Amino acid sequence: MQPAFPERARSLHALLLGTLLLSLGLGLGGCASSSDGPAAPFLPSDTIAAAETNRDSALAVLTSMDRTAFDSAFAALDAYTTTRQLRTEQLTPDGSVSATQTHTVRYPPAPAQGTIQARDSSGTFRAGGLLSSLASPEKPTARPNNVAPQALSDPPAYVAPRTREAFRYALAPDTGPDGRPVQVVRVQARANGPGRDQGIRFARLTLLRDTHELIALTVVRAERSLLFWEDSRLTVRLRPAPDAPAWLPARVRFRARVDVPFRAPRQFHTVSQYTEYAR
């Protein structure tokens, strides 16, 4: 299940911060930025070594990136019937699963709501605004939200010329899930200097080699303030439309851990898998 972001939330950090501070009865005053704290816990295994060998080539690919398919995929979904398999997990502080909810939902074309075809659950979710804001398991029939603006700002810090020095870059050729040649750009914030202040700690972008269209993105964030620590990883993967030269959502995976004073850490994992597209 993908995180249900309201349209007004321009970043994951803003949404989670507002939700948690409201639930705690705290205001935003006195919330100063801090770079202290642990490293992002959701970094993948393919992080970048200190020595860069193809920084310029990676930046060239990023600056020529065509994000049209990525930005329009969820709007294109509205023209299709599709099945979404949604799974939400509540995790303990050590990462083990304590509760799950799963739904299989069939959506007609927009604006109609979906119909639940199957559901299951185990364990008990802790009450609170965080679960409803991220996962909305009580409304699985609601139409999917567009997560592209939260996954990829315009431009992201690792593409903007004034903040590039805060990151390391790597570029490698690969083959996409449908056999198309792709280029994979990995970006990682530096541990020292300007990199310490970057909320984005890692990103992996998959682009078609011939058109530079972005078709998959993973972004890891770590935000630190005096009253709030948030770590997250969001992955969005697209697939070709069955009957048109367009791209549609294939999989959205989101994991978040939030720490606030005087409460145990909150951690959730949601996955949406989109299949059976048809007109």
Side-chain angles (χ1 to χ4, degrees), residues 180-201:
R180 304 188 190 196
V182 298
Q183 291 176 305
V184 179
V185 180
R186 289 178 293 130
V187 181
Q188 188 166 342
R190 299 182 184 275
N192 300 308
R196 288 178 59 85
D197 298 324
Q198 296 299 318
I200 295 177
R201 306 311 300 167

Side-chain angles (χ1 to χ4, degrees), residues 108-157:
Q113 300 289 290
T115 300
I116 296 177
Q117 297 181 324
R119 69 176 78 197
D120 194 11
S121 64
S122 65
T124 302
F125 282 93
R126 293 168 58 189
L130 178 60
L131 176 60
S132 59
S133 294
L134 295 183
S136 294
E138 74 281 5
K139 295 182 180 179
T141 59
R143 295 203 63 84
N145 288 324
N146 181 7
V147 301
Q150 286 74 38
L152 187 66
S153 58
D154 188 18

Side-chain angles (χ1 to χ4, degrees), residues 71-105:
D71 290 339
S72 63
F74 284 89
L77 179 152
D78 287 344
Y80 292 83
T81 297
T82 187
T83 297
R84 182 164 63 149
Q85 295 175 317
L86 309 93
R87 179 178 175 88
T88 304
E89 298 175 339
Q90 178 180 270
L91 308 175
T92 64
D94 65 4
S96 59
V97 177
S98 61
T100 65
Q101 289 187 0
T102 60
H103 296 85
T104 300
V105 184

